[in-house]
Amino acid sequence: MTAPTPGQPLWVDLGTSDVNDAKRFYTELFGWTAHVSGDDYGGYTIFNLDGRPAAGAGPLFGEGQPTAWSTYIATDDADDTAILVEDAGGKVLVPPFDVGVQGRMAACLDPAGAPFTVWQAGTMAGAEVVDVPGALTWSELTTRDVERSVDFYGRVFGWAARESQFVGQPYVVWELDGQMIGGMQPMVGPGWPDDLAAHWMLYFAVRHCDETSALAHELGGHVVRPPINFPMGRYAVIEDPQGGTFSILESA
């Protein structure tokens, strides 16, 4: 795999209160195989799909930290990007540090409070499989502060925001060098709980949304939003047994 393009989302992982149960749940749900990286990385687990890295999982390190999926965005200099994050109104939660020879990372918040991670690749260049059943297929920022988000991600990562319409609602498509790399869903109108914080929602591709939703329930997960049709296909929102939320998407 070639070096990731700066500004490109390149990896996702799960911080969870129960890594062993997460392995059970996700390997059965998506057909992943779990491979522990070793004690040097705190028992960090790589999930492979057909022998190629698709996602990761590791234990929680902060007291009171919730189980959650995280988005990693590529940079060629994690230290410079951390400075840009703060200059653009974001916050660096964990300053840049080396993860062995794998790479260098920093944990951040955007101005609305959505968490993300910047990753300067070493030997780990990110996911090697995407857009197929069992792999990540879309990343979507969900926020109430659209204008500030457009300014922030544009300044830090060079993203362009293209306004669109999504089932009659305003929507933003993120582009980098003319290529779609993700989206932004404004939290406007009814149906958005007041206490729902800004976050990145991850969509994993599946062949059959209804069957995968039923399987998630059987495995101890919770179907937060049952399968529903929309122009791009059929999707559902799932919560794993520890509370990590993600979406599944059966493409049209």
Side-chain angles (χ1 to χ4, degrees):
M1 184 176 180
T2 58
T5 302
Q8 181 82 29
L10 80 164
W11 185 245
V12 295
D13 71 8
L14 177 71
T16 178
S17 58
D18 191 334
V19 175
N20 286 332
D21 195 57
K23 291 182 201 176
R24 175 197 64 82
F25 178 82
Y26 287 100
T27 55
E28 294 190 46
L29 187 68
F30 292 135
W32 293 345
T33 55
H35 307 270
V36 178
S37 295
D39 294 337
D40 291 345
Y41 304 108
Y44 190 82
T45 295
I46 301 291
F47 289 120
N48 282 358
L49 178 65
D50 296 330
R52 293 184 289 176
L60 299 174
F61 293 105
E63 186 175 348
Q65 181 183 358
T67 293
W69 280 96
S70 297
T71 295
Y72 286 61
I73 303 170
T75 176
D76 54 11
D77 192 315
D79 296 80
D80 284 351
T81 301
I83 293 171
L84 278 175
V85 165
E86 300 219 324
D87 287 347
K91 183 176 182 179
V92 177
L93 294 177
V94 181
F97 67 95
D98 290 327
V99 185
V101 298
Q102 304 285 325
R104 186 168 175 81
M105 65 177 281
C108 308
L109 295 177
D110 73 14
F116 65 93
T117 301
V118 297
W119 181 260
Q120 178 184 337
T123 59
M124 176 58 176
E128 294 182 16
V129 56
V130 295
D131 295 330
V132 298
L136 184 73
T137 191
W138 191 247
S139 299
E140 181 181 86
L141 175 65
T142 304
T143 183
R144 291 182 173 86
D145 199 339
V146 172
E147 184 175 344
R148 199 170 181 191
S149 297
V150 169
D151 176 71
F152 175 81
Y153 288 98
R155 290 171 61 183
V156 176
F157 297 113
W159 293 358
R162 175 168 57 84
E163 293 185 7
S164 180
Q165 285 290 313
F166 183 69
V167 292
Q169 299 295 324
Y171 194 78
V172 171
V173 174
W174 296 115
E175 295 182 344
L176 179 66
D177 299 328
Q179 300 294 317
M180 290 192 304
I181 58 169
M184 177 166 58
Q185 174 69 64
M187 283 194 281
V188 295
W192 298 100
D194 292 339
D195 60 350
L196 182 63
H199 62 280
W200 280 91
M201 173 61 78
L202 305 179
Y203 290 74
F204 293 95
V206 296
R207 287 187 175 87
H208 305 289
C209 184
D210 294 74
E211 292 179 10
T212 305
S213 295
L215 178 58
H217 177 73
E218 291 174 10
L219 294 171
H222 172 60
V223 181
V224 178
R225 173 171 289 183
I228 186 172
N229 291 326
F230 76 121
M232 302 302 293
R234 188 166 175 81
Y235 84 103
V237 181
I238 308 294
E239 189 177 84
D240 71 24
Q242 286 69 50
T245 303
F246 61 97
S247 292
I248 56 174
L249 173 61
E250 175 187 341
S251 174

